[in-house]
């Protein structure tokens, strides 16, 4: 979990890396490479920010859906150990996804450029790191979504197996 102190430390570390990155770029003779690296680095940060914001929305939607599913199950009188376990597993999966997102959101990606000749490789490495970090969170979200689908299925199955408690009245026509 991110605390204010952790966030401040992360921000300071990011600023240090950003300064180091810019200092290394200044040593490049090719100005076009400097501009390209700076642009990619900026866009990478923006992509990471957009990605984490989108994943945050998805996790919030999953939490809302879980609440709604629990309410529907209660309204329909669906209960039992299997449902309780499924709800618990869904909550755990959502919490895991949120935790992974918090960890990922706390990361700041800056290319560690070592030389002009390795610029392309260095940039590809940091781009791959951003993608893999966001994909890892997405996998956790997918698992949480599957847990919710399990609850939907349990509620549907319980609803289908419920039989009416009263039989339709039969009338005799005086025969």
């Amino acid at each position: 979990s991110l605390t204010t102190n952790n966030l401040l430390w992360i921000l300071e570390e990011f600023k240090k890396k950003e300064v180091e990155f810019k200092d290394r770029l200044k040593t490049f003779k090719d100005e076009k490479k400097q501009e390209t690296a700076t642009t990619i680095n900026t866009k990478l940060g923006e992509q990471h920010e957009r990605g984490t914001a989108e994943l945050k929305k998805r996790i919030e939607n999953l939490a809302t859906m879980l609440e709604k599913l629990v309410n529907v199950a209660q309204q329909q009188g669906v209960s039992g150990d299997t449902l309780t376990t499924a709800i618990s597993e869904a909550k755990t999966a959502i919490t895991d996804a949120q935790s992974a997102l918090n960890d990922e959101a706390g990361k700041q990606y800056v290319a560690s450029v070592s030389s002009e000749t390795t610029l392309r490789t260095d940039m590809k490495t940091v781009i791959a790191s951003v993608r893999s970090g966001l994909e890892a969170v997405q996998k956790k979200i997918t698992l949480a979504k599957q847990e919710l689908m399990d609850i939907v299925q349990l509620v549907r199955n319980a609803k289908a197996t419920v039989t009416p408690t009263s039989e339709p009245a039969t009338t005799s026509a005086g025969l």
Side-chain angles (χ1 to χ4, degrees):
S1 153
L2 295 176
T3 63
T4 304
N5 289 338
N6 288 351
L7 288 174
L8 292 174
W9 180 82
I10 289 169
L11 189 57
E12 286 188 30
E13 287 296 311
F14 173 69
K15 287 179 182 177
K16 287 179 188 175
K17 287 182 182 181
E18 188 86 0
V19 168
E20 290 173 12
F21 174 75
K22 288 179 181 178
D23 287 344
R24 280 197 203 112
L25 287 181
K26 288 178 185 174
T27 64
F28 288 10
K29 293 177 184 174
D30 189 345
E31 288 183 24
K32 180 75 173 164
K33 284 185 180 180
Q34 287 180 12
E35 290 175 25
T36 303
T38 302
T39 302
I40 290 172
N41 199 51
T42 301
K43 288 188 177 190
L44 195 61
E46 292 169 356
Q47 177 187 3
H48 184 255
E49 208 171 292
R50 278 191 313 271
T52 54
E54 176 62 31
L55 294 172
K56 180 181 178 191
K57 286 180 192 175
R58 290 181 187 172
I59 292 170
E60 289 170 351
N61 287 342
L62 291 175
T64 301
M65 288 171 50
L66 177 60
E67 288 176 26
K68 288 179 181 179
L69 285 171
V70 169
N71 289 338
V72 166
Q74 288 174 347
Q75 289 171 356
Q76 294 181 359
V78 179
S79 62
D81 291 340
T82 306
L83 180 63
T84 303
T85 302
I87 291 170
S88 176
E89 289 173 356
K91 285 179 182 179
T92 300
I94 291 171
T95 302
D96 288 349
Q98 183 64 53
S99 177
L101 178 63
N102 289 344
D103 290 345
E104 183 61 31
K107 293 179 182 176
Q108 298 293 329
Y109 294 94
V110 177
S112 58
V113 179
S114 52
S115 72
E116 274 185 79
T117 56
T118 62
L119 178 64
R120 178 181 297 267
T121 306
D122 295 339
M123 295 308 275
K124 283 183 177 182
T125 301
V126 75
I127 289 169
S129 295
V130 170
R131 285 188 180 145
S132 68
L134 293 174
E135 287 172 357
V137 176
Q138 179 58 45
K139 286 180 183 178
K140 296 218 178 237
I141 290 172
T142 301
L143 292 173
K145 184 178 177 183
Q146 184 57 50
E147 295 295 338
L148 290 179
M149 294 307 298
D150 291 347
I151 295 171
V152 168
Q153 196 62 40
L154 285 171
V155 171
R156 282 184 183 163
N157 289 344
K159 185 178 173 185
T161 59
V162 173
T163 56
T165 55
S166 60
E167 303 258 341
T170 55
T171 59
S172 57
L175 292 172

